[in-house]
Each structure stands twice: as C-alpha cells, then as structure tokens.
C-alpha cells in the first residue's frame, strides 16, 4: 500500500485517480482549493485537504507531503487568465517540487500534456501560450530536481469511457484520450519503477496500459 498526495484533487482526472488508488488499497490525500468541494473529494475515498496552491508557500506544501510515498501534480488554473496560469501551472508546481524534495518524498508524477516543452511552438498571440510556457518551465524544473520523476503527456482529454488501452510515444495517430484512461496511466506509473526519469506522451490506442508503459 502506498501513501499518495494528489494536488488538484477536485479535477476530473484527479477525482478518477483518487477512486482508483483508494479502491486498490492506497492511502490518498487529495489537495484542493475550494472548501465547498470537500464532500465530493471525500466521496472518492481520499482524505480531503483544503489548500490554495496559488498562494501557499513551500513550507505549507512540505507539511502536506511529509511522510508520503508519492506526489501527483494534477492541478491547474484552467486557462483564461495568463497571470493565474503562470502562478499555478508554473510557480505553484515548482514550489511543490521544491517542497517534495525538502520533505524527502522522492516519487513525483507530473500530469502535463502531449507535446509540452520549450519547443512547444504555440504562438504568443494564442490563448494557449501561457499554459504551454508554464508547463515547459515546471516540467524542466522537475527534470532537474533530483526526484524520481515521471512526466505524463496525455493528448486532448475527453469524458469518453476508458478502454484501458493507449498508444505511447511519437508515432501515435490519434490525438485524444479519456480522462479515465489518464487516471489509469497515473496509477500504473506509480506502481512501475521502470517509468522513473521518463517523459511519456500517450493517446487512446490498442495497447494495454501496462504493456505500453514498458515502451
């Protein structure tokens, strides 16, 4: 049994992930901003923790992750406001990496997006630009952190039922993936030490998740 912290605990991927982990016997702490979501988060089987990551300092985050086995970052500002996007998707994510390292919790899984990186190619006048820049910076900081990191790059997220099958790597032909399968990939990655220090882009496909992750 693992003891896992999920940041962004009221998100659609995070809620599915918390249920999966709790059902298999893991202890889950889900961190989210809005107190009104506490009952919904608790219903997944997770222990709810209210914390505004946009304004929380590294010390507060460290207190949450201390003594845990793994951290999953699935938080985000949700787009629309570039300054808040940078504050959450870049700055808060980086603070969480720093706090995790200070706490001595080595395993860290970042939910990013397919094609993230400094060469993302999103024009400055595109509304997605701030998010692309923020994720590139956060992902790169994680790679240099010394943690046992995995960065996951799912394609376009849908609410379709999961299939338990994906295609991973640059040759995948589809561009979408159900959130249910993204949660299943995170859960599988947490159990697979072979995914440490890997960036894994994936979309819906034909290969069972565990097999696809073996790459």
């Amino acid at each position: 049994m693992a003891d896992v912290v999920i940041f962004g605990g009221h998100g659609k991927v995070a809620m599915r992930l918390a249920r999966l982990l709790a059902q298999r016997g893991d202890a889950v702490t889900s961190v989210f901003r809005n107190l009104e979501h506490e009952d919904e988060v608790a219903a997944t089987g997770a222990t709810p923790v209210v914390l505004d990551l946009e304004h929380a300092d590294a010390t507060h985050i460290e207190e949450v992750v201390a003594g845990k086995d793994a951290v999953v970052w699935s938080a985000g500002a949700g787009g629309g406001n570039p300054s808040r996007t940078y504050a959450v998707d870049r700055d808060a994510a980086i603070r969480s990496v720093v706090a995790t390292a200070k706490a001595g919790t080595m395993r860290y899984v970042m939910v990013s997006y397919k094609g993230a990186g400094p060469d993302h190619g999103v024009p400055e006048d595109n509304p997605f630009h701030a998010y692309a820049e923020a994720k590139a910076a956060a992902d790169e900081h994680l790679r240099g952190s010394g943690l046992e990191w995995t960065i996951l790059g799912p394609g376009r997220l849908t609410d379709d039922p999961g299939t338990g099958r994906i295609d991973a790597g640059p040759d995948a032909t589809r561009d979408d993936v159900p959130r249910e399968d993204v949660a299943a990939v995170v859960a599988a990655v947490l159990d697979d030490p072979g995914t440490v220090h890997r960036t894994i882009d994936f979309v819906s496909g034909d290969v069972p998740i565990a097999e696809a992750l073996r790459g």
Side-chain angles (χ1 to χ4, degrees), residues 97 138-147 149 151:
V97 172
D139 292 355
E140 195 60 26
H141 186 88
L142 178 58
R143 290 186 181 100
S145 67
L147 297 175
W149 57 267
I151 296 171

Side-chain angles (χ1 to χ4, degrees), residues 7 175 182:
F7 288 113
D175 65 355
V182 176

Side-chain angles (χ1 to χ4, degrees), residues 29-91:
T29 300
S30 284
V31 181
F32 55 99
R33 179 174 58 90
N34 191 336
L35 180 61
E36 294 179 2
H37 297 150
E38 186 170 17
D39 290 344
E40 290 179 65
V41 172
T44 67
T47 299
V49 172
V50 178
L51 184 67
D52 184 352
L53 292 168
E54 183 178 355
H55 300 105
D57 61 25
T59 299
H60 287 122
I61 299 172
E62 184 182 348
E63 290 170 357
V64 174
V65 302
K68 307 302 184 185
D69 298 313
V71 169
V72 176
W73 180 270
S74 188
N81 183 324
S83 62
R84 187 160 185 269
T85 295
Y86 285 119
V88 177
D89 293 276
R90 182 190 63 192
D91 301 341

Side-chain angles (χ1 to χ4, degrees), residues 66-138:
K68 307 302 184 185
D69 298 313
V71 169
V72 176
W73 180 270
S74 188
N81 183 324
S83 62
R84 187 160 185 269
T85 295
Y86 285 119
V88 177
D89 293 276
R90 182 190 63 192
D91 301 341
I94 288 173
R95 283 198 300 275
S96 78
V97 172
V98 172
T100 299
K102 286 187 67 177
T105 300
M106 293 303 295
R107 190 70 173 107
Y108 192 112
V109 178
M110 176 75 79
V111 180
S112 188
Y113 72 94
K114 187 174 181 286
D119 56 349
H120 54 73
V122 180
E124 289 188 27
D125 60 354
N126 188 308
F128 192 73
H129 179 79
Y131 180 75
E133 287 284 288
K135 293 304 284 185

